[in-house]
């Protein structure tokens, strides 16, 4: 396995994560940040596979991130260890597949009929409170994943997010030049 950038040298068993909701929740970005934090900052093997439908706001959107110390031969989270759902449709579709002993996190504003043992976190409300936008829900979901697992640290997630914040800043700065 590659050497960890952050100096963490421990064995991480295969971990399957799925974040699912609707276009506009930031699910795609969340998967990218999680897989890059695992691979670049934790020295783990990581894959990301998304299902973004038509990639429009309001349509179904999900991302699978599989990570661990060993090379990954199959990139899908068919039976996630951790599932964060941001809509009732996503909950209905994905919660039955969660591994025995796996954890499900639901947003109570978006999921009216959660699984019995789900962890309830007001993800969209937190996103709106801190950014004013529901698209940050994916980033809040990453905090849930970090709290549920020991695979990727908060610091590694923050380092990956900092890269995307800088990228967005540069895009805004350079956009007038393209006009």
């Amino acid at each position: 396995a590659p050497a960890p950038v952050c100096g963490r040298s421990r064995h991480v068993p295969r971990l399957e994560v799925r974040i699912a909701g609707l276009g506009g929740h930031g699910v795609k970005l969340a998967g990218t940040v999680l897989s890059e934090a695992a691979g670049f900052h934790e020295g783990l093997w990581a894959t990301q596979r998304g299902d973004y439908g038509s990639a429009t706001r309001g349509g179904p959107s999900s991302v699978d991130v599989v990570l661990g110390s060993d090379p990954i031969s199959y990139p899908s989270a068919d039976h996630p260890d951790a599932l964060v759902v941001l809509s009732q449709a996503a909950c209905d579709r994905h919660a039955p597949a969660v591994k025995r002993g796996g954890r499900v996190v639901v947003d109570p504003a978006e999921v009216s009929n959660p699984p019995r043992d789900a962890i309830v976190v007001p993800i969209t409300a937190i996103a709106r409170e801190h950014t004013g936008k529901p698209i940050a829900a994916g980033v809040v979901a990453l905090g849930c994943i970090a709290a549920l697992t020991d695979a990727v640290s908060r610091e590694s997630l923050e380092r990956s997010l900092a890269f995307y914040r800088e990228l967005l800043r540069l895009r805004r700065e350079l956009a007038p030049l393209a006009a």
Side-chain angles (χ1 to χ4, degrees):
V5 175
C6 67
R8 293 171 79 169
S9 57
R10 61 193 168 65
H11 185 268
V12 175
R14 179 184 173 100
L15 177 71
E16 297 183 7
V17 174
R18 178 172 288 155
I19 303 171
L22 302 173
H25 278 144
V27 168
K28 185 176 183 179
L29 175 63
T32 300
V33 169
L34 179 58
S35 62
E36 290 182 3
F40 295 146
H41 304 302
E42 298 286 342
L44 300 172
W45 293 90
T47 64
Q48 172 197 349
R49 188 190 73 70
D51 181 8
Y52 311 118
S54 60
T56 59
R57 289 182 196 249
S61 181
S62 67
V63 66
D64 290 354
V65 176
V66 179
L67 55 94
S69 295
D70 298 321
I72 296 159
S73 59
Y74 181 69
S76 292
D78 291 344
H79 301 287
D81 298 283
L83 170 67
V84 179
V85 290
L86 302 169
S87 73
Q88 185 63 56
C91 187
D92 294 343
R93 180 175 179 195
H94 300 292
V98 171
K99 206 174 278 181
R100 181 181 296 270
R103 305 304 303 260
V104 178
V105 178
V106 301
D107 184 331
E110 308 292 334
V111 179
S112 58
N113 187 24
R116 184 175 44 87
D117 56 349
I119 300 168
V120 177
V121 178
I123 295 169
T124 307
I126 293 168
R128 282 195 171 110
E129 176 184 333
H130 290 277
T131 68
K133 301 174 183 174
I135 195 165
V139 174
V140 177
L142 292 176
C144 296
I145 298 301
L148 288 175
T149 72
D150 188 36
V152 178
S153 69
R154 179 178 161 190
E155 294 78 19
S156 292
L157 291 169
E158 288 173 354
R159 288 174 71 186
S160 288
L161 279 168
F163 170 79
Y164 285 96
R165 277 193 298 270
E166 178 64 11
L167 184 63
L168 288 172
R169 184 192 69 75
L170 288 172
R171 279 186 184 165
R172 283 190 298 267
E173 185 178 304
L174 297 174
L177 300 176

